[in-house]
């Protein structure tokens, strides 16, 4: 279960001697008596702007101390059930005097509690995979993060690399900056044409819609004529409001009349596949009430020979690649209930129709805990008790360590 209990790192709101909230540095370690735990009353703002009173252990490591503090909230349903800090008098500590703290008796947990600090979230999560495989998974894990009561759904994560044969104009093409980013810019240099011909094709022919043409910039260079497309960048899992610059550029190229043969076929295919961020052009669009819509980001293009070299470095296995080809990467976050095998079949059919093929696949199945699960209900009720609100569990397209810990 993926649940936040605190909201802000490194600096917190603490009442000063006049009762006003002022920003003060984190509190350093303070010695505690046996069986006691020093706490101070802090006020931390959540992402919704609601001041949240949180009992924070003074010895917490503040580099990411809000994680540890998640186990030390004011008395709530979670603590009444599993143990925690006994509620006590709210002492208003003057700013600058963190040593003046209340000592509250600590209830003993009924079971051992282990805190794990993980890295490489969403990228590979190899640290937690290794831990579970070599050390073992706890009976129950809670991943603390984010401004919501409980994240009980994470969409499936599917990376698909499609190789497309190209001609002289698209050979060696690079576009995009990261696999999980909707590209905000893309450019290509055409050879064997002059600037006036390109401007006529892109700006004056009427073949290209005004909303596409206004995002294009044309410049003559020593190598040829460069066409730059401007989009609106964003994260692949939240594409609303973004504009994929690769889609803008390939749409313009496909309609310009400047490409032919394999270059034209590849541009037409990419323009179709990336026409929106929800997989409509690939035929994989899906949406349900539990997890929301599937998203599909065609956000990175590299020459096929460079892709093959990267695969060798990473130890991945894929088919032979051609120098006269490019590889388009898809970052797909698919809805709960959608089969990744079906998604792959449809992409493979689309690739083959354009003379291409899939050369690499990486899948992580969706993470899903039903909303009526007692653990989800307990954590949601705890969050609402502390904040005084009526929040509900949320679904996201991100990937966290909870995905690879059994029963998390």
């Amino acid at each position: 279960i993926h649940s936040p209990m605190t909201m802000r790192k490194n600096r917190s709101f603490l009442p000063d001697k006049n009762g006003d909230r002022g920003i003060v540095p984190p509190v350093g370690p303070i010695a505690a008596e046996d069986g006691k735990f020093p706490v101070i009353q802090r006020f931390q703002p959540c992402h919704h702007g609601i001041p949240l009173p949180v009992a924070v252990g003074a010895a917490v490591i503040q580099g990411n101390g809000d994680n540890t503090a998640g186990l030390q909230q004011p008395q709530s349903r979670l603590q009444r059930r599993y143990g925690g800090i006994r509620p006590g008098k709210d002492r208003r500590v003057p700013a600058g005097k963190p040593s003046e703290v209340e000592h509250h008796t600590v209830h003993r947990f009924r079971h051992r509690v282990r805190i794990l600090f993980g890295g490489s979230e969403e990228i590979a999560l190899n640290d937690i995979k290794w831990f579970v495989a070599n050390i073992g998974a706890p009976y129950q894990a809670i991943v603390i993060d984010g401004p919501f009561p409980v994240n009980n759904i994470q969409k499936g994560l599917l990376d698909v690399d499609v190789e497309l044969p190209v001609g002289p104009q698209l050979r060696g093409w690079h576009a995009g900056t990261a696999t999980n980013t909707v590209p905000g810019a893309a450019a290509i240099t055409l050879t064997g044409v002059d600037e006036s011909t390109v401007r006529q094709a892109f700006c004056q022919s009427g073949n290209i819609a005004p909303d596409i043409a206004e995002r294009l910039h044309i410049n003559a260079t020593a190598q040829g004529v460069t066409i730059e497309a401007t989009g609106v960048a964003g994260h692949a899992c939240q594409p609303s409001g973004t504009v994929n610059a690769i889609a803008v550029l390939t749409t313009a190229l496909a309609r310009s009349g400047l490409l032919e043969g394999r270059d034209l076929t590849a541009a037409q295919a990419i323009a179709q596949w990336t026409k929106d961020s929800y997989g409509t052009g690939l035929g994989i669009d899906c949406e349900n009430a539990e997890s929301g819509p599937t998203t599909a980001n065609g956000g990175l293009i590299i020459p096929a020979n460079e892709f093959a070299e990267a695969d060798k470095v990473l130890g991945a296995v894929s088919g032979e690649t051609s120098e006269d080809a490019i590889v388009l990467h898809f970052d797909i976050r698919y809805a709960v209930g959608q089969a990744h095998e079906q998604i792959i079949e449809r992409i493979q059919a689309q690739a083959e129709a354009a003379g291409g093929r899939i050369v690499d696949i990486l899948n992580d199945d969706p993470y899903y805990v039903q909303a009526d699960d007692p653990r989800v209900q307990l954590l949601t009720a705890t969050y609402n008790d502390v904040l005084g609100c009526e929040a509900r569990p949320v679904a996201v397209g991100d990937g966290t360590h909870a995905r690879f810990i059994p029963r998390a």
Side-chain angles (χ1 to χ4, degrees):
I1 297 171
H2 193 67
S3 174
M5 302 301 277
T6 54
M7 310 296 173
R8 187 78 68 180
K9 297 184 175 121
N10 296 327
R11 299 182 72 86
S12 305
F13 282 85
L14 181 69
D16 66 16
K17 62 183 178 181
N18 298 317
D20 298 325
R21 296 189 192 97
I23 298 177
V24 298
V27 178
I30 300 173
E33 300 173 9
D34 291 341
K36 305 281 188 176
F37 198 102
V39 299
I40 60 175
Q41 187 71 16
R42 289 192 171 192
F43 288 81
Q44 292 188 312
C46 73
H47 287 276
H48 303 294
I50 305 171
L52 170 62
V54 182
V56 183
V60 166
I61 299 173
Q62 288 291 327
N64 197 5
D66 53 348
N67 286 341
T68 309
L71 300 175
Q72 300 158 0
Q73 294 294 329
Q75 192 78 351
S76 63
R77 298 185 191 186
L78 185 66
Q79 290 177 315
R80 290 197 294 270
R81 181 165 179 176
Y82 295 108
I85 296 175
R86 183 191 302 276
K89 178 182 177 182
D90 174 8
R91 180 172 182 179
R92 307 182 79 81
V93 183
K97 296 183 180 180
S99 60
E100 297 183 17
V101 298
E102 287 288 342
H103 287 83
H104 298 278
T105 301
V106 176
H107 289 298
R108 296 291 181 187
F109 280 97
R110 298 173 187 171
H111 307 281
R112 183 177 66 170
V113 175
R114 174 178 287 166
I115 300 174
L116 305 178
F117 291 89
S120 70
E121 186 178 65
E122 193 176 309
I123 302 171
L125 299 112
N126 288 328
D127 50 357
I128 202 66
K129 292 177 183 177
W130 182 93
F131 185 91
V132 170
N134 292 275
I135 307 300
Y139 174 75
Q140 180 62 64
I142 300 175
V143 179
I144 302 175
D145 181 22
F148 43 75
V150 184
N151 164 219
N152 65 321
I153 297 175
Q154 294 174 19
K155 296 177 183 178
L157 303 179
L158 179 61
D159 292 299
V160 180
D161 293 289
V162 176
E163 180 189 88
L164 288 171
V166 295
Q169 299 290 17
L170 299 189
R171 185 184 299 127
W173 188 25
H174 295 80
T177 57
T179 58
N180 63 350
T181 300
V182 179
I188 193 167
T189 299
L190 301 182
T191 60
V193 293
D194 56 48
E195 183 179 358
S196 61
T197 301
V198 173
R199 289 191 179 278
Q200 171 65 29
F202 278 87
C203 304
Q204 300 167 11
S205 65
N207 295 331
I208 299 173
D211 62 327
I212 296 292
E214 68 184 10
R215 293 184 172 277
L216 302 174
H217 306 277
I218 301 168
N219 296 288
T221 67
Q223 292 74 34
V225 180
T226 298
I227 304 101
E228 298 178 358
T230 301
V232 178
H235 197 286
C237 75
Q238 296 177 323
S240 178
T242 64
V243 177
N244 188 328
I246 291 176
V248 172
L249 184 54
T250 53
T251 298
L253 288 169
R255 297 176 181 175
S256 68
L258 297 174
L259 301 183
E260 58 185 14
R262 293 189 298 181
D263 283 330
L264 177 59
T265 300
Q268 289 173 333
I270 296 171
Q272 169 67 17
W273 299 341
T274 60
K275 68 179 184 180
D276 69 16
S277 296
Y278 299 97
T280 303
L282 288 166
I284 62 170
D285 49 308
C286 177
E287 183 172 5
N288 54 47
E290 291 80 13
S291 55
T294 291
T295 60
N297 177 51
L300 190 67
I301 294 175
I302 62 173
N305 58 341
E306 291 184 19
F307 174 83
E309 289 299 317
D311 256 12
K312 290 178 183 177
V313 171
L314 296 173
V317 178
S318 63
E320 294 294 326
T321 57
S322 168
E323 291 186 1
D324 293 328
I326 56 176
V327 173
L328 169 62
H329 179 88
F330 286 104
D331 177 313
I332 300 167
R333 319 290 174 107
Y334 59 95
V336 170
Q338 188 175 16
H340 75 274
E341 296 90 351
Q342 188 177 57
I343 294 174
I344 293 170
E345 287 178 4
R346 292 183 178 179
I347 295 176
Q348 180 67 29
Q350 295 270 359
E352 290 177 353
R357 63 191 178 119
I358 294 176
V359 290
D360 210 357
I361 298 169
L362 178 63
N363 176 68
D364 287 326
D365 291 332
Y367 161 87
Y368 178 52
V369 180
Q370 292 186 349
D372 60 359
D373 184 287
R375 299 167 299 162
V376 174
Q377 292 181 335
L378 175 63
L379 288 168
T380 302
T382 299
Y383 180 93
N384 290 335
D385 280 353
V386 173
L387 279 182
C389 61
E390 293 297 329
R392 298 175 59 83
V394 301
V396 299
D398 308 69
T400 73
H401 293 85
R403 188 183 293 268
F404 297 105
I405 305 176
R407 285 184 50 81

